[in-house]
Amino acid sequence: MGFLARLFGDCGTVRFEGTTFDGRHFKGKTDIESFGMSKEEIEAELKNALFVKNGVRAKELRIIGFA
């Protein structure tokens, strides 16, 4: 997907912040490659990735920047 995402999609670093179910606030950044995804779909995928990587469920997550 890397080649097509670089040509037709979005590649870059996304900054996000949110709140977990136990009330903790967090901020983070990660590199993404997306092709034909809306902002809401990207936020949902980031929530899933956060759970898989850290074992923490996010109650809300919002994108605050993309470069």
Side-chain angles (χ1 to χ4, degrees), residues 5-67:
R6 282 189 291 266
L7 282 179
F8 303 111
D10 296 322
C11 290
T13 302
V14 66
R15 291 189 177 270
F16 55 91
E17 64 183 11
T19 308
T20 62
F21 276 105
D22 59 357
R24 292 183 287 165
H25 297 283
F26 63 89
K27 293 181 181 179
K29 70 177 182 177
T30 188
D31 294 327
I32 65 165
E33 294 179 355
S34 66
F35 186 75
M37 294 178 73
S38 68
K39 180 180 174 184
E40 291 78 22
E41 291 172 329
I42 293 173
E43 288 174 348
E45 289 298 323
L46 286 172
K47 282 183 184 180
N48 290 337
L50 181 69
F51 176 67
V52 169
K53 176 104 174 148
N54 298 329
V56 177
R57 290 244 184 234
K59 182 196 281 187
E60 68 175 35
L61 185 140
R62 63 193 167 278
I63 295 173
I64 57 174
F66 178 78

